[in-house]
């Protein structure tokens, strides 16, 4: 059986003590004539209104992978800003301790049936991702890291990243560790991570050799600009594309710029003891190391007239290039808009983008690129917290990974060994999505994807619709059926224990169908369950005498409804 002490994690506290209550309890511990007698029970917390609960649930839907009812109550009592502060203060729930434990146990023969099976090594990073995502207390960090993984994409469709359990796990930990830091550090650490070095081929990227007509690989140089920092076209601070005198978008960079940045990202190879340039011995837990003899010498002409002088070391060149990109005026609106799209809504207004971009720029006095400031701006913006339906073109399709993980978190997934073991292959096969398994560096879908029909005709985008089709719609409904009616919650391999959901709190109130639907509306749809959908579900589940079946059917019918699938 897994030891929680060995793995270095604990189950989350399902009932979070509100900040104000914590301060009150602390104050009561000291002396003072007005303090109540020590044996008197504390007064009950004030009753929360439904509006407070749905507002908290709405925040949790954007800021986490999903929260159970008790945690939503805690957010409502604590207040949104105080909850964010508490989340920012939590240490990251990293994957590395789990991978270390799995590897050690495999070497000790605990996974005897898989000792010589490389497939089990592939399982490790998936097991670590699912368990951590479902149980971690730092729910905001986990959600932001997933959003970042869809911007700074690496994928297990490269064999060398698949078979080494540290490759993608350590990369994801890098995203977690930088999620609440500064964007400049995030950009640098992503650029120097060996998983990215392999995925975009700047690991073992050599300096030019005119005699053999070889030149530096340009792959990472292109994508670090196009996807990871500034985008293709110059932007106003509100995300509007700048147009030249001919009515064409103004490009941010040219092929010459790509070649100059490619020179910067030369001379990098695996780090660690005994490292040398050209090494094929993987080390995924240390940044790539610079070997100056293989780094392109001479000056490099970067964006906006910046010239990296000759005579610098390779590391100095990289720092200069990161500074050049980080300080480009596009970064705030380009990255800010994508974070809004991943967390809140597909079509943020220019004013929303501008407010987030100004937060990125440090207009309020915080350092440029401070991720906590940016995240706060994204989640607490008036548009993000507006009454559902009050903002034109607001909303986003919930992608399969978010819908699936929400079930596990909202209904307290548990197992006999307290480990939430899942591989996600079932989900991936049926919906074509799994974390860190994108088909290309462009993620599962483009931020600019507009499905044909009313959305495209209105000039709007709906990125997640790029992986939605008749097959994936039916397949996800079948996943829900398996989870809710057959208790096939995860595809966990032996020797891990079976995972199950806990519906006890809902079964206890299921005798009152209206109360059950009210509770599920708060948790699943934050008060947006329409009267028509509610009535149809009520009619469908009222005939059930078995409250357990009634609860499962209610959850299923809400989870397949448009009210839930499209977050408004």
């Amino acid at each position: 059986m897994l030891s929680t002490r060995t793995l270095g994690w604990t189950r989350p506290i399902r009932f979070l003590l509100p900040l104000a209550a914590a301060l009150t309890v602390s104050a009561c511990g000291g002396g003072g004539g007005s303090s109540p007698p020590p044996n008197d029970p504390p007064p009950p917390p004030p009753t929360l209104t439904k509006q407070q609960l749905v507002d908290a649930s709405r925040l949790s839907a954007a800021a986490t992978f999903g929260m159970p009812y008790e945690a939503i109550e805690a957010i409502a009592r604590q207040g949104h800003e105080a909850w964010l502060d508490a989340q920012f203060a939590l240490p990251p729930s990293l994957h590395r301790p789990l991978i270390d434990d799995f590897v050690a146990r495999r070497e000790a023969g605990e996974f005897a049936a898989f000792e010589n099976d490389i497939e089990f090594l592939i399982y490790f990073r998936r097991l670590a991702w699912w368990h951590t995502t479902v149980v971690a207390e730092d729910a905001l960090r986990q959600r932001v890291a997933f959003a970042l993984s869809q911007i700074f994409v690496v994928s297990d469709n490269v064999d060398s990243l698949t078979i080494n359990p540290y490759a993608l796990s350590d990369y994801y930990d890098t995203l977690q560790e930088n999620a609440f830091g500064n964007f400049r550090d995030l950009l640098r650490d992503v650029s120097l991570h060996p998983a990215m070095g392999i995925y975009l081929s700047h690991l073992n990227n050599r300096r030019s050799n005119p005699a053999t007509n070889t030149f530096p690989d340009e792959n990472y140089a292109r994508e670090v600009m196009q996807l990871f920092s500034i985008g293709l076209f110059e932007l106003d601070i509100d995300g509007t594309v700048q147009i030249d005198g001919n009515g064409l978008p103004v490009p941010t960079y040219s092929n010459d710029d790509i070649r100059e940045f490619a020179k910067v990202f030369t001379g990098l190879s695996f780090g660690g003891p005994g490292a040398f340039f050209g090494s094929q011995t993987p080390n995924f837990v240390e940044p790539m190391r610079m070997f100056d003899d293989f780094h392109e010498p001479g000056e490099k002409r970067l964006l906006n007239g910046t010239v990296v002088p000759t005579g610098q070391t390779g590391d100095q060149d990289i720092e200069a290039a990161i500074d050049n990109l980080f300080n480009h005026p596009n970064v705030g609106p380009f990255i800010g808009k994508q974070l809004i799209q991943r967390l809140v809504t597909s079509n943020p207004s220019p004013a929303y983008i501008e407010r987030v971009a100004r937060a990125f720029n440090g207009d309020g006095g915080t350092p440029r690129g401070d991720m906590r400031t940016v995240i706060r701006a994204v989640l607490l913006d008036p548009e993000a917290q507006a009454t559902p339906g009050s903002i034109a073109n607001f909303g986003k399709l919930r992608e399969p990974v978010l819908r699936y993980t929400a079930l596990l978190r909202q209904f307290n997934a548990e197992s006999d060994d307290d480990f939430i073991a899942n591989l996600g292959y079932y989900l991936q096969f049926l919906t074509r999505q799994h974390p860190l398994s994108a088909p290309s560096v462009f993620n599962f879908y483009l931020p600019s994807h507009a499905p044909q029909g009313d959305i495209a005709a209105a000039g709007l985008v709906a990125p997640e619709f790029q992986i939605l089709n008749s097959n994936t719609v039916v397949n996800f409904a079948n996943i829900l059926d398996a989870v809710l009616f057959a208790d096939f919650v995860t595809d966990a391999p032996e020797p891990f224990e079976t995972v199950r959901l806990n519906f006890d709190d809902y079964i206890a109130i299921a005798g009152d169908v209206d109360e059950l639907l009210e509770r599920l509306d708060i948790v699943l749809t934050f008060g947006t369950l329409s009267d028509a959908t509610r009535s149809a579900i009520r009619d469908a589940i009222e005939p059930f005498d078995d409250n357990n079946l009634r609860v499962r059917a209610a959850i299923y019918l809400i989870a397949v409804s448009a009210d839930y699938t499209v977050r408004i």
Side-chain angles (χ1 to χ4, degrees):
M1 180 173 293
L2 291 169
S3 164
T4 56
R5 184 179 300 276
T6 300
L7 295 180
W9 61 269
T10 58
R11 292 286 291 179
I13 300 172
R14 297 298 184 185
F15 294 85
L16 304 177
L17 185 65
L19 182 60
L23 293 174
T24 301
V25 172
S26 176
C28 290
S34 61
S35 299
N39 293 328
D40 284 1
T47 302
L48 294 167
T49 66
K50 181 177 180 180
Q51 190 61 52
Q52 288 175 303
L53 289 168
V54 298
D55 287 346
S57 180
R58 185 171 173 80
L59 175 63
S60 76
T64 78
F65 282 98
M67 288 289 202
Y69 182 78
E70 299 84 7
I72 292 170
E73 280 189 317
I75 295 173
R77 295 190 188 283
Q78 195 169 12
H80 295 186
E81 293 200 24
W83 180 79
L84 287 177
D85 288 338
Q87 284 288 308
F88 286 142
L90 291 173
S93 301
L94 301 178
H95 295 184
R96 173 71 181 274
L98 290 170
I99 301 298
D100 286 343
D101 185 79
F102 291 150
V103 170
R105 292 167 61 199
R106 181 177 185 270
E107 292 175 351
E110 187 169 339
F111 303 130
F114 302 94
E115 261 184 39
N116 299 312
D117 188 355
I118 198 169
E119 186 176 18
F120 208 65
L121 285 173
I122 298 171
Y123 291 169
F124 289 167
R125 79 95 177 164
R126 289 174 174 250
L127 290 166
W129 191 91
W130 281 100
H131 171 76
T132 304
T133 298
V134 174
V135 309
E137 290 186 58
D138 56 328
L140 174 63
R141 185 190 299 270
Q142 299 300 319
R143 182 65 185 87
V144 172
F146 180 62
L148 293 174
S149 77
Q150 295 186 292
I151 299 171
F152 300 95
V153 175
V154 298
S155 174
D156 62 7
N157 60 17
V158 176
D159 287 346
S160 57
L161 300 182
T162 302
I163 63 175
N164 189 306
Y166 288 100
L168 296 180
S169 292
D170 191 82
Y171 181 78
Y172 203 83
D173 282 352
T174 297
L175 298 181
Q176 291 197 67
E177 290 169 325
N178 284 283
F180 298 161
N182 191 281
F183 183 83
R184 187 199 181 281
D185 297 332
L186 171 63
L187 184 60
R188 181 196 60 218
D189 290 354
V190 162
S191 299
L192 295 178
H193 198 282
M196 182 62 78
I198 287 175
Y199 192 64
L200 291 182
S201 58
H202 60 297
L203 184 141
N204 292 328
N205 189 21
R206 295 174 179 268
R207 59 187 288 181
S208 302
N209 186 347
T212 59
N213 199 34
T214 58
F215 301 93
D217 186 288
E218 298 176 359
N219 201 16
Y220 187 72
R222 179 184 304 103
E223 308 307 353
V224 72
M225 291 188 283
Q226 178 180 350
L227 301 176
F228 302 163
S229 59
I230 63 175
L232 290 171
F233 304 114
E234 298 285 353
L235 303 173
D236 292 332
I237 195 168
D238 66 358
T240 303
V241 175
Q242 297 179 9
I243 304 299
D244 65 16
N246 297 318
L248 299 174
V250 179
T252 52
Y253 60 88
S254 66
N255 286 333
D256 288 340
D257 295 321
I258 293 173
R259 284 190 286 270
E260 292 297 297
F261 272 90
K263 295 175 184 177
V264 171
F265 294 104
T266 54
L268 294 167
S269 192
F270 288 115
F276 60 91
F277 186 83
S279 172
Q280 301 300 314
T281 303
N283 182 332
F284 288 107
V285 298
E286 296 185 45
M288 290 186 288
R289 177 177 162 184
M290 175 61 68
F291 295 86
D292 283 305
D293 288 346
F294 298 88
H295 178 72
E296 185 80 11
E299 71 177 25
K300 289 91 177 172
R301 297 184 175 274
L302 306 182
L303 303 174
N304 298 330
T306 297
V307 178
V308 175
T310 188
Q312 290 197 153
T313 65
D315 285 330
Q316 289 173 323
D317 281 0
I318 287 178
E319 294 295 334
I322 297 298
D323 280 335
N324 184 243
L325 294 173
F326 172 66
N327 288 301
H328 193 287
N330 263 33
V331 182
F334 181 72
I335 296 297
K337 179 180 180 179
Q338 290 191 73
L339 287 173
I340 296 170
Q341 287 183 307
R342 298 283 59 78
L343 299 174
V344 179
T345 183
S346 297
N347 294 279
S349 71
Y352 188 178
I353 296 170
E354 180 173 346
R355 289 189 289 269
V356 172
R358 291 193 181 279
F360 181 96
N361 292 347
D363 285 8
T366 55
R368 176 179 176 82
D370 180 71
M371 291 295 290
R372 296 186 184 200
T373 302
V374 173
I375 294 164
R376 193 184 301 275
V378 169
L379 295 175
L380 299 184
D381 189 85
E383 292 188 31
Q385 299 207 315
T387 302
S390 64
I391 303 292
N393 304 323
F394 191 93
K396 69 191 297 288
L397 178 71
R398 298 185 203 237
E399 60 201 278
V401 165
L402 296 185
R403 295 172 69 190
Y404 188 73
T405 51
L407 280 177
L408 272 61
R409 287 185 60 90
Q410 289 165 333
F411 300 104
N412 296 323
E414 59 189 17
S415 69
D416 289 342
D417 60 6
D418 286 334
F419 189 85
I420 308 304
N422 191 34
L423 299 178
Y425 286 121
Y426 185 52
L427 177 72
Q428 184 176 358
F429 176 74
L430 293 177
T431 69
R432 298 295 185 263
Q433 189 187 28
H434 187 275
L436 300 175
S437 298
S440 77
V441 72
F442 296 101
N443 193 27
F444 296 96
Y445 40 76
L446 298 175
S448 59
H449 175 72
Q452 293 182 352
D454 292 344
I455 292 176
L460 303 174
V461 301
E464 293 84 357
F465 275 85
Q466 195 166 359
I467 58 172
L468 184 77
N469 56 48
S470 57
N471 286 332
T472 58
V473 168
V474 172
N475 287 344
F476 196 84
N478 289 336
I479 290 174
L480 291 173
D481 182 271
V483 169
L484 292 167
F485 299 115
D487 287 323
F488 184 73
V489 180
T490 63
D491 54 358
E494 294 183 355
F496 298 100
E497 298 290 340
T498 299
V499 176
R500 57 188 176 272
L501 302 183
N502 188 326
F503 302 110
D504 290 351
D505 291 344
Y506 295 88
I507 294 171
I509 63 173
D512 185 330
V513 172
D514 288 328
E515 183 180 359
L516 171 64
L517 292 179
E518 187 77 355
R519 176 72 61 88
L520 291 174
D521 181 25
I522 290 170
V523 173
L524 296 174
T525 46
F526 42 87
T528 65
L529 192 66
S530 67
D531 290 341
T533 303
R534 186 187 296 258
S535 177
I537 295 174
R538 183 191 299 110
D539 290 346
I541 67 175
E542 271 188 324
F544 295 137
D545 294 327
D546 184 338
N547 283 348
N548 180 33
L549 180 58
R550 178 178 285 178
V551 168
R552 292 169 185 258
I555 295 169
Y556 176 85
L557 292 171
I558 293 175
V560 297
S561 71
D563 302 53
Y564 175 80
T565 306
V566 177
R567 179 186 182 275
I568 61 173

